[in-house]
PDB file of all heavy atoms in Angstrom:
ATOM      1  N   VAL A  39     -20.481 -32.406   3.764  1.00 92.00           N
ATOM      2  CA  VAL A  39     -19.873 -31.950   2.515  1.00 92.00           C
ATOM      3  C   VAL A  39     -20.727 -32.330   1.313  1.00 92.00           C
ATOM      4  O   VAL A  39     -20.868 -31.549   0.363  1.00 92.00           O
ATOM      5  CB  VAL A  39     -18.449 -32.522   2.372  1.00 92.00           C
ATOM      6  CG1 VAL A  39     -17.861 -32.170   1.002  1.00 92.00           C
ATOM      7  CG2 VAL A  39     -17.542 -32.006   3.488  1.00 92.00           C
ATOM      8  N   LEU A  77      -3.161 -13.854  13.345  1.00 98.00           N
ATOM      9  CA  LEU A  77      -3.933 -12.650  13.052  1.00 98.00           C
ATOM     10  C   LEU A  77      -4.093 -11.787  14.301  1.00 98.00           C
ATOM     11  O   LEU A  77      -3.924 -10.558  14.247  1.00 98.00           O
ATOM     12  CB  LEU A  77      -5.303 -13.032  12.503  1.00 98.00           C
ATOM     13  CG  LEU A  77      -5.322 -13.669  11.105  1.00 98.00           C
ATOM     14  CD1 LEU A  77      -6.731 -14.161  10.767  1.00 98.00           C
ATOM     15  CD2 LEU A  77      -4.834 -12.686  10.051  1.00 98.00           C
ATOM     16  N   ALA A 140     -27.020 -18.835   6.349  1.00 98.00           N
ATOM     17  CA  ALA A 140     -26.883 -18.684   7.795  1.00 98.00           C
ATOM     18  C   ALA A 140     -27.606 -17.432   8.288  1.00 98.00           C
ATOM     19  O   ALA A 140     -28.287 -17.447   9.325  1.00 98.00           O
ATOM     20  CB  ALA A 140     -25.407 -18.629   8.189  1.00 98.00           C
ATOM     21  N   PHE A 166       0.645 -13.120   0.176  1.00 98.00           N
ATOM     22  CA  PHE A 166       0.396 -14.502  -0.230  1.00 98.00           C
ATOM     23  C   PHE A 166       1.506 -14.993  -1.153  1.00 98.00           C
ATOM     24  O   PHE A 166       1.995 -16.118  -1.018  1.00 98.00           O
ATOM     25  CB  PHE A 166      -0.961 -14.603  -0.928  1.00 98.00           C
ATOM     26  CG  PHE A 166      -1.342 -15.998  -1.354  1.00 98.00           C
ATOM     27  CD1 PHE A 166      -1.822 -16.921  -0.430  1.00 98.00           C
ATOM     28  CD2 PHE A 166      -1.231 -16.401  -2.674  1.00 98.00           C
ATOM     29  CE1 PHE A 166      -2.174 -18.214  -0.817  1.00 98.00           C
ATOM     30  CE2 PHE A 166      -1.576 -17.682  -3.073  1.00 98.00           C
ATOM     31  CZ  PHE A 166      -2.059 -18.585  -2.135  1.00 98.00           C
ATOM     32  N   HIS A 196      -6.549 -27.318  -6.839  1.00 97.00           N
ATOM     33  CA  HIS A 196      -7.665 -28.256  -6.845  1.00 97.00           C
ATOM     34  C   HIS A 196      -8.289 -28.296  -8.238  1.00 97.00           C
ATOM     35  O   HIS A 196      -8.640 -27.264  -8.803  1.00 97.00           O
ATOM     36  CB  HIS A 196      -8.707 -27.824  -5.821  1.00 97.00           C
ATOM     37  CG  HIS A 196      -9.514 -28.954  -5.269  1.00 97.00           C
ATOM     38  ND1 HIS A 196     -10.291 -29.767  -6.068  1.00 97.00           N
ATOM     39  CD2 HIS A 196      -9.670 -29.410  -4.006  1.00 97.00           C
ATOM     40  CE1 HIS A 196     -10.892 -30.674  -5.306  1.00 97.00           C
ATOM     41  NE2 HIS A 196     -10.516 -30.478  -4.051  1.00 97.00           N
ATOM     42  N   PRO A 212     -11.426  -9.004 -16.359  1.00 66.00           N
ATOM     43  CA  PRO A 212     -10.293  -9.082 -17.287  1.00 66.00           C
ATOM     44  C   PRO A 212      -9.496 -10.366 -17.134  1.00 66.00           C
ATOM     45  O   PRO A 212      -8.796 -10.776 -18.062  1.00 66.00           O
ATOM     46  CB  PRO A 212      -9.435  -7.855 -16.917  1.00 66.00           C
ATOM     47  CG  PRO A 212      -9.857  -7.484 -15.527  1.00 66.00           C
ATOM     48  CD  PRO A 212     -11.309  -7.850 -15.445  1.00 66.00           C
ATOM     49  N   ALA A 273       4.761 -37.858 -16.969  1.00 98.00           N
ATOM     50  CA  ALA A 273       5.168 -37.182 -18.197  1.00 98.00           C
ATOM     51  C   ALA A 273       6.520 -36.495 -18.036  1.00 98.00           C
ATOM     52  O   ALA A 273       7.346 -36.498 -18.955  1.00 98.00           O
ATOM     53  CB  ALA A 273       4.101 -36.159 -18.599  1.00 98.00           C
ATOM     54  N   VAL A 315      11.473 -35.662  -5.839  1.00 98.00           N
ATOM     55  CA  VAL A 315      10.494 -34.582  -5.715  1.00 98.00           C
ATOM     56  C   VAL A 315      10.646 -33.916  -4.361  1.00 98.00           C
ATOM     57  O   VAL A 315      11.161 -34.495  -3.406  1.00 98.00           O
ATOM     58  CB  VAL A 315       9.037 -35.083  -5.873  1.00 98.00           C
ATOM     59  CG1 VAL A 315       8.771 -35.582  -7.281  1.00 98.00           C
ATOM     60  CG2 VAL A 315       8.685 -36.115  -4.833  1.00 98.00           C
ATOM     61  N   ASP A 324       1.960 -17.720   8.189  1.00 98.00           N
ATOM     62  CA  ASP A 324       3.109 -16.841   7.955  1.00 98.00           C
ATOM     63  C   ASP A 324       2.749 -15.403   8.361  1.00 98.00           C
ATOM     64  O   ASP A 324       1.682 -14.897   8.015  1.00 98.00           O
ATOM     65  CB  ASP A 324       3.488 -16.885   6.466  1.00 98.00           C
ATOM     66  CG  ASP A 324       4.797 -16.179   6.176  1.00 98.00           C
ATOM     67  OD1 ASP A 324       4.835 -14.930   6.268  1.00 98.00           O
ATOM     68  OD2 ASP A 324       5.783 -16.859   5.846  1.00 98.00           O
TER      69      ASP A 324
END
Side-chain angles (χ1 to χ4, degrees):
V39 174
L77 291 173
F166 182 78
H196 208 300
V315 294
D324 189 290

